[in-house]
Amino acid sequence: MQNKRLYIETFGCQMNVHDSEQMAVLLQSIGYHLTDDPATADLILINTCSIREKAEQKAFSELGRLMKLKEVNPNLIVGFAGCLAQHLGRKVFARVKGVDLVFGTHNIHRLPEMIASVVKSRRKVTQIDFSSSIHSLNIFAPPPKRSLCAFVSIMQGCDNYCAYCVVPFLRGPEMSRIPEDIVHEVRELAKLGVREVTLLGQNVNSYGKKLSEACNFVSLIEKISGIKEIQRIRFTTSHPKDLSDELIDCFAHVPKLCEHIHLPVQSGSNRILRLMNRGYSSEEYLRKIDHLRAVCPQISITSDIIVGFPGETVRDYQETIDMMEKIRFDSVFSFKYSERKGTAAQTLPDKVPESEKRRRLKELQALQDRHTQERNSVLEGSLQEVLVEGRSRNSEQDMMGRARSWKIVNFKGGPELIGEKVFVEITRGYLHSLRGKRLIVKEVGDAAGDEGIGIDA
Ligand code: 5AD
Ligand code: SF4
């Protein structure tokens, strides 16, 4: 078999990261192996995001940079993939000379065939049709290196049409994989050493709605929880309107489900939420937060917020700030509204000036930093279960892993701990991570000693 080199640059969400993993697996079957160095690659794929204008600009500037490699290696094949490729199709060829292949979000499974065609004919190839089935979601893509954590796509697409969002246009209508395929994939991942799975979809709470057999997201979580080797389950992203009481209760009765939920609120103003077509009010959102904290007081809650949506007044924005003060999220991804072609919000009046969006975003982020710091400081003195992923970026002597809350924890330790579940007493809560001391714990609640005492965990 050929031994060729593949370089993939990925932009955007976890869904895209997972799609890139699938591309790598498929291309392995025709002799391509991943490299970290684009200059040595025979094939370069850029997996793009289109959610905000900035993401598009980044993808094109990276494409421009990588295209220079064609001057040195004229046989280099360059492919443009993902949401932006879905959106632009053949227009990419006109915009950047020398691109060989453009393919969309539903065509990943055709990649080996598309590459073969480019190699054979040196003709440009475009594939951006939407398919009515989810072939590509069934590609088994174990994480690249030996890894403890893996993503598993359980659905794709979205039917919600939030007024600002291009995803329904670029990922197509919502489609769920059948539970048997998902459970089979998780079992295979477990055999390869995976201990933590993150179930992925644009709106995982509506998983299974269109399937003929009775299966909802809660029953899927319960099925996966039954797989012995899997120690932790996470999911993302949830839509507040579809977050059921039954799912909230899982945080109390499914021990493997990690105590973290990412629940994008987008705005605290009911007027803006209506304009955004979000399908819930701020009061309903707050009730869900109260319910989550009632069943699981230690739950970590993160969110997405957009500032400067068309028509957002200072008062609407203040309602978002008031909501943040009430809830005190563990962390928030916040964005300036970015106008996207074809979305409902594009036609709305009263656009907020860029400078005002910038001002609101800066103020909101400063507030959230205070809340994040506060939420992390409160954890000082607490005992956290950490799944050790590798060396810390901070220091040679430190290891890092994630607590069940998804927060990063750094502590002193050696690489022999990679893959282990350890218990760490938090000594300091920082803005972006926690620091602690590993405790040697025989059983949960039985702290036998300090770090360095050689009793096995
Ligand atoms: N402008 C700004 N932010 C957006 N998001 C989605 N579309 C836009 C847009 N047009 C944000 C939302 C979403 C997150 C993934 O990206 O907050 O939850
Ligand atoms: Fe976009 Fe809304 Fe669907 Fe999320 S739920 S992907 S924000 S349309």
Side-chain angles (χ1 to χ4, degrees):
M1 191 177 294
Q2 294 170 309
N3 193 4
K4 297 201 165 189
R5 294 198 186 92
L6 161 69
Y7 176 80
I8 309 185
E9 180 95 36
T10 308
F11 294 92
C13 62
Q14 284 161 331
M15 208 85 177
N16 267 17
V17 173
H18 187 56
D19 286 351
S20 292
E21 288 172 359
Q22 291 184 321
M23 291 177 202
V25 167
L26 281 169
L27 290 170
Q28 221 170 32
S29 68
I30 56 163
Y32 284 90
H33 298 280
L34 277 175
T35 171
D36 293 333
D37 179 8
T40 63
D42 302 287
L43 168 60
I44 291 180
L45 296 176
I46 302 173
N47 192 6
T48 61
C49 168
S50 184
I51 198 121
R52 285 169 291 275
E53 200 184 337
K54 217 157 116 188
E56 288 197 12
Q57 288 162 356
K58 270 201 219 156
F60 273 111
S61 86
E62 190 56 12
L63 178 61
R65 196 178 73 83
L66 292 169
M67 285 315 288
K68 296 214 173 75
L69 296 170
K70 268 208 156 183
E71 292 164 16
V72 190
N73 174 12
N75 290 326
L76 174 66
I77 299 172
V78 176
F80 202 65
C83 288
L84 186 53
Q86 182 71 50
H87 173 54
L88 295 174
R90 299 188 64 80
K91 287 187 200 144
V92 175
F93 298 132
R95 196 156 155 182
V96 182
K97 297 271 168 299
V99 175
D100 298 286
L101 168 69
V102 175
F103 62 103
T105 53
H106 281 210
N107 302 282
I108 295 170
H109 60 291
R110 299 206 178 111
L111 192 49
E113 176 197 320
M114 291 187 270
I115 297 294
S117 161
V118 173
V119 171
K120 200 166 150 212
S121 65
R122 286 317 291 194
R123 279 221 206 99
K124 297 192 182 301
V125 170
T126 325
Q127 284 279 358
I128 53 162
D129 325 323
F130 271 159
S131 114
S132 56
S133 69
I134 39 179
H135 300 292
S136 63
L137 288 190
N138 284 326
I139 300 163
F140 179 57
K145 293 166 204 136
R146 256 194 67 230
S147 179
L148 286 175
C149 309
F151 296 130
V152 177
S153 285
I154 63 166
M155 61 197 302
Q156 99 150 334
C158 182
D159 294 340
N160 286 314
Y161 291 92
C162 299
Y164 49 81
C165 187
V166 282
V167 168
F169 305 99
L170 302 182
R171 290 232 169 226
E174 202 173 279
M175 279 186 268
S176 300
R177 290 174 73 189
I178 57 170
E180 289 73 22
D181 288 348
I182 298 169
V183 170
H184 176 74
E185 179 170 332
V186 177
R187 281 191 207 286
E188 292 301 306
L189 288 167
K191 279 188 210 157
L192 296 173
V194 167
R195 296 294 169 259
E196 176 181 305
V197 286
T198 302
L199 308 177
L200 285 183
Q202 251 78 43
N203 177 10
V204 289
N205 304 150
S206 64
Y207 170 78
K209 271 190 187 158
K210 295 181 187 168
L211 290 176
S212 48
E213 71 181 282
C215 181
N216 65 14
F217 189 47
V218 169
S219 64
L220 180 70
I221 289 178
E222 283 164 349
K223 282 191 175 95
I224 293 172
S225 178
I227 302 173
K228 194 166 144 263
E229 297 83 357
I230 296 298
Q231 296 177 2
R232 288 175 162 192
I233 303 170
R234 303 183 186 277
F235 57 81
T236 198
T237 288
S238 292
H239 194 305
K241 80 175 163 56
D242 296 314
L243 177 64
S244 65
D245 289 349
E246 201 193 353
L247 178 56
I248 293 178
D249 290 338
C250 284
F251 286 105
H253 76 251
V254 181
K256 291 182 180 181
L257 187 61
C258 288
E259 294 82 4
H260 168 227
I261 187 163
H262 184 66
L263 196 62
V265 64
Q266 312 299 358
S267 169
S269 151
N270 284 336
R271 209 176 61 79
I272 297 297
L273 286 172
R274 259 194 311 276
L275 284 172
M276 285 178 164
N277 189 30
R278 289 290 288 173
Y280 54 85
S281 65
S282 64
E283 291 77 14
E284 280 161 342
Y285 186 87
L286 281 167
R287 269 200 298 278
K288 301 225 173 179
I289 299 292
D290 286 346
H291 188 175
L292 281 161
R293 287 185 167 149
V295 304
C296 182
Q298 72 277 33
I299 195 163
S300 160
I301 303 176
T302 58
S303 198
D304 292 344
I305 294 179
I306 298 175
V307 296
F309 184 79
E312 186 189 71
T313 60
V314 170
R315 195 165 156 187
D316 293 314
Y317 163 71
Q318 187 57 45
E319 284 178 7
T320 301
I321 296 288
D322 293 346
M323 175 179 253
M324 290 169 68
E325 292 278 18
K326 255 191 230 144
I327 294 174
R328 302 183 115 74
F329 291 110
D330 288 84
S331 70
V332 164
F333 297 98
S334 48
F335 313 99
K336 287 183 288 176
Y337 168 72
S338 167
E339 185 170 289
R340 311 311 290 135
K341 256 202 206 110
T343 59
Q346 196 191 9
T347 58
L348 289 177
D350 304 322
K351 299 276 156 43
V352 178
E354 199 54 34
S355 58
E356 178 60 11
K357 284 196 255 182
R358 211 175 309 124
R359 187 195 71 75
R360 290 180 195 178
L361 186 69
K362 199 166 161 217
E363 185 184 85
L364 184 148
Q365 288 179 337
L367 175 70
Q368 184 52 47
D369 282 355
R370 289 202 291 281
H371 290 168
T372 302
Q373 180 61 68
E374 187 185 290
R375 299 278 302 161
N376 288 351
S377 297
V378 163
L379 295 175
E380 290 172 8
S382 70
L383 193 63
Q384 300 289 325
E385 177 202 289
V386 176
L387 194 58
V388 186
E389 290 179 26
R391 281 203 188 279
S392 159
R393 274 195 269 163
N394 297 348
S395 142
E396 275 286 291
Q397 282 93 49
D398 282 354
M399 300 304 291
M400 69 73 65
R402 284 193 194 262
R404 292 175 63 92
S405 60
W406 206 57
K407 296 186 188 205
I408 291 175
V409 180
N410 293 302
F411 63 97
K412 266 205 176 52
E416 71 284 357
L417 294 175
I418 294 174
E420 298 285 315
K421 200 153 75 171
V422 301
F423 289 88
V424 175
E425 185 186 307
I426 302 304
T427 50
R428 195 72 194 268
Y430 297 102
L431 185 56
H432 299 295
S433 65
L434 306 172
R435 166 142 211 104
K437 273 200 304 198
R438 181 176 163 229
L439 293 188
I440 310 299
V441 175
K442 280 188 193 156
E443 282 169 34
V444 179
D446 174 16
D450 219 331
E451 67 177 350
I453 298 179
I455 306 168
D456 264 335

